[in-house]
Amino acid sequence: MAPQRFREQFTQIQRSMPDVPLAVGPDDAGEFLYEKGVVLARDGEEARVVEDTVRRHFTTFAGLTPEQVRRAGPETNRSGITRIRVADPGQGDGSGDPAVAGALRALSAAEGRTGRRLVSRNHVVSIAVNACPGDEPVPASRAAGPNPAAADGVHDPGSAVAVLVIDTGLMRDHRSYPPLAHTRGDAQVAECDGDGILQQYCGHGTFIAGLVAAVAPNTDITVRGTLNDAGAVLESEFGEKLFEAVDRDGWPDVISLSAGTSNGRTDGLLGVDAFMRELRDRPTLLVAAAGNNGSATPFWPAAYADLPGYENAVLSVGALRADGESGACFSNHGGWVKAYAPGERLTGALTGFETPVPYVYQHSTYDACRYGFTYPCTCHHPRHTGVLSEDGVSAKPDQVMFEGLAQWSGTSFATPVAVGMVAAHMTARAETDPREARWQLLRANTEFAEVRGAHVPALLPPTWRPVRVSPPSARA
């Protein structure tokens, strides 16, 4: 039986958020996840409009009286968003939430009159499969070394480019990997389970930091563990957590963000609107992953790069396949993706080098590319069987051992490569403005690739080596 990757991921994320009933949207189409029974609105008058409108239409929503339509938790300060309960979240299953859909429809007329978005689902922002990364890690030999390899250069605290990675935390032994000797930040929560098995997505933030450091050695990298527990957080919390990260460390030169969600809209995420508006007025450049749905549907926050007023503030990054010749099968694409970087079969530090650690695959590979591509992509090679794809009859899940380096794929990892390219350009040109450095880098770029018929900028680090993989059928 073919794996149902999105459904498997739904199960995994729901386990990591046991107190938050989740649904698949829109209308069970398998495009994103969101909190059941709740909508988001801006604090103040707009929240009151949403509450009043839902109360007038409450008879179409199951399980609530008008008095039960109310704010579901404390209002936030910086993000300016509140959760409003519009249904009993315990009703129904995870295949959509008619009450939430009804609340959105009820507010559509008011939004038309005001010309302003008033209400939103409370989406799950995630690094997960079908969002980021594009596959699970594969052990890599130390002899082959990282790819991209560490660039020449030294770390100079006086001129280093400040990079803030918003992701999972750092593995405890990360400093034993030389490029990460100067990296600081939050520790990864619960690296292994009770049996000593590495948990899924542990090492994601460490891998990203290692890619930045390899491409741009003169960087001060801080990793914040904003996205622990299957790499997921509710939209209502995400904006506040972004503010907490920059309040704690100060606004950096560059933010590397390898998470997001689609939402079926073209005007952004309500939960991060306040953060994005403040970002727009700061000198910081946000470099964000385009997502791994193999889709042209906007993925946020990356797609802010295509919204008026955010062109300078956001660089959205898609993934090139291992040989760099075209886009990776899983990479989102479209005019809102502004650059592409290597993002398939990159090699970097999953852990440090102190202690080997076992890992059990959670997802099974496919018999062929799930997006219809014919090259030997990570959808089906190398082969493995995962726990979440088991039907009680299939073979035992595969287990591997990591001893430091891993090969991993996703726009999650194309993003820090692009971050490193911007940072390295800043160092080489003594450029202190990361936004200007981005434009200089793109203007000077001479490499391009074909992505779904489009001729797109390809940011290729000098130390990156194309990986050419023979089809599995051609192997011994």
Side-chain angles (χ1 to χ4, degrees):
M1 184 175 70
Q4 300 296 317
R5 190 63 58 86
F6 188 88
R7 288 292 175 181
E8 294 167 17
Q9 200 55 48
F10 174 86
T11 300
Q12 192 84 334
I13 291 176
Q14 183 65 85
R15 287 175 184 167
S16 77
M17 308 173 80
D19 299 326
V20 182
L22 299 177
V24 176
D27 301 325
D28 198 30
E31 186 175 310
F32 51 74
L33 304 178
Y34 64 97
E35 183 182 12
K36 290 177 62 181
V38 167
V39 296
L40 300 184
R42 294 183 182 87
D43 295 341
E45 180 60 32
E46 292 188 11
R48 286 188 287 274
V49 170
V50 171
E51 289 177 300
D52 291 344
T53 302
V54 173
R55 287 189 183 109
R56 288 197 300 271
H57 294 79
F58 79 95
T59 54
T60 65
F61 306 146
L64 289 189
T65 65
E67 293 74 23
Q68 290 175 308
V69 176
R70 63 179 184 271
R71 304 188 189 199
E75 296 181 13
T76 58
N77 295 320
R78 297 288 295 281
S79 64
I81 294 297
T82 188
R83 296 164 60 246
I84 298 175
R85 185 174 184 238
V86 297
D88 180 358
Q91 292 191 350
D93 55 23
S95 58
D97 188 332
V100 169
L104 299 181
R105 288 193 297 271
L107 269 297
S108 60
E111 289 180 329
R113 288 193 300 271
T114 62
R116 181 175 168 86
R117 189 174 178 191
L118 298 175
V119 67
S120 167
R121 292 178 175 90
N122 192 14
H123 301 89
V124 175
V125 177
S126 175
I127 64 172
V129 172
N130 269 38
C132 296
D135 69 347
E136 291 176 89
V138 176
S141 72
R142 297 187 193 181
N147 185 24
D152 292 335
V154 296
H155 176 261
D156 173 19
S159 64
V161 177
V163 176
L164 173 62
V165 175
I166 304 291
D167 208 85
T168 64
L170 288 162
M171 302 297 279
R172 58 177 175 77
D173 58 352
H174 70 277
R175 283 200 175 92
S176 60
Y177 181 61
L180 294 179
H182 304 288
T183 301
R184 66 186 183 95
D186 299 329
Q188 170 72 52
V189 174
E191 294 181 8
C192 297
D193 64 17
D195 296 321
I197 306 295
L198 186 69
Q199 300 204 81
Q200 192 174 22
Y201 306 123
C202 282
H204 192 265
T206 303
F207 196 89
I208 286 170
L211 291 172
V212 174
V215 177
N218 192 29
T219 45
D220 281 334
I221 303 171
T222 301
V223 179
R224 289 298 166 214
T226 303
L227 298 166
N228 279 305
D229 296 330
V233 64
L234 288 173
E235 179 182 342
S236 57
E237 302 171 9
F238 188 49
E240 195 71 13
K241 286 181 177 292
L242 291 173
F243 275 124
E244 288 174 1
V246 295
D247 286 347
R248 181 174 179 178
D249 301 299
W251 287 85
D253 295 310
V254 184
I255 296 174
S256 180
L257 176 63
S258 293
T261 182
S262 58
N263 64 352
R265 296 183 62 105
T266 59
D267 57 355
L269 290 177
L270 199 61
V272 300
D273 180 64
F275 178 83
M276 296 303 297
R277 283 188 282 110
E278 184 158 340
L279 169 74
R280 185 178 55 192
D281 297 331
R282 298 278 185 168
T284 298
L285 174 67
L286 172 64
V287 184
N292 300 332
N293 299 321
S295 169
T297 300
F299 185 82
W300 308 99
Y304 276 92
D306 209 38
L307 294 187
Y310 292 95
E311 303 94 333
N312 290 327
V314 183
L315 174 61
S316 49
V317 183
L320 297 174
R321 71 189 218 184
D323 60 13
E325 293 180 0
S326 64
C329 68
F330 53 78
S331 182
N332 284 348
H333 51 90
W336 56 273
V337 183
K338 302 304 180 183
Y340 290 76
E344 187 176 61
R345 295 190 170 96
L346 299 181
T347 302
L350 183 73
T351 67
F353 290 94
E354 291 183 355
T355 307
V357 59
Y359 178 74
V360 176
Y361 282 105
Q362 300 297 298
H363 303 284
S364 297
T365 47
Y366 291 72
D367 292 333
C369 176
R370 54 183 159 150
Y371 301 107
F373 283 64
T374 57
Y375 78 99
C377 64
T378 58
C379 291
H380 60 98
H381 181 71
R383 305 286 296 176
H384 55 253
T385 299
V387 173
L388 296 175
S389 301
E390 289 300 288
D391 56 10
V393 179
S394 303
K396 182 180 178 180
D398 290 315
Q399 178 173 309
V400 293
M401 187 70 68
F402 285 104
E403 299 183 76
L405 294 182
Q407 199 174 74
W408 215 345
S409 305
T411 59
S412 275
F413 312 125
T415 297
V417 170
V419 168
M421 293 283 283
V422 171
H425 182 91
M426 292 176 69
T427 295
R429 301 292 182 88
E431 175 59 66
T432 59
D433 183 345
R435 298 183 180 184
E436 177 58 27
R438 182 270 301 272
W439 291 121
Q440 292 173 6
L441 179 66
L442 289 175
R443 285 194 296 267
N445 180 65
T446 59
E447 301 288 346
F448 293 87
E450 293 295 321
V451 176
R452 313 256 181 169
H455 197 53
V456 301
L459 300 178
L460 307 180
T463 61
W464 171 74
R465 307 180 303 277
V467 178
R468 302 189 184 277
V469 181
S470 299
S473 59
R475 290 179 170 266

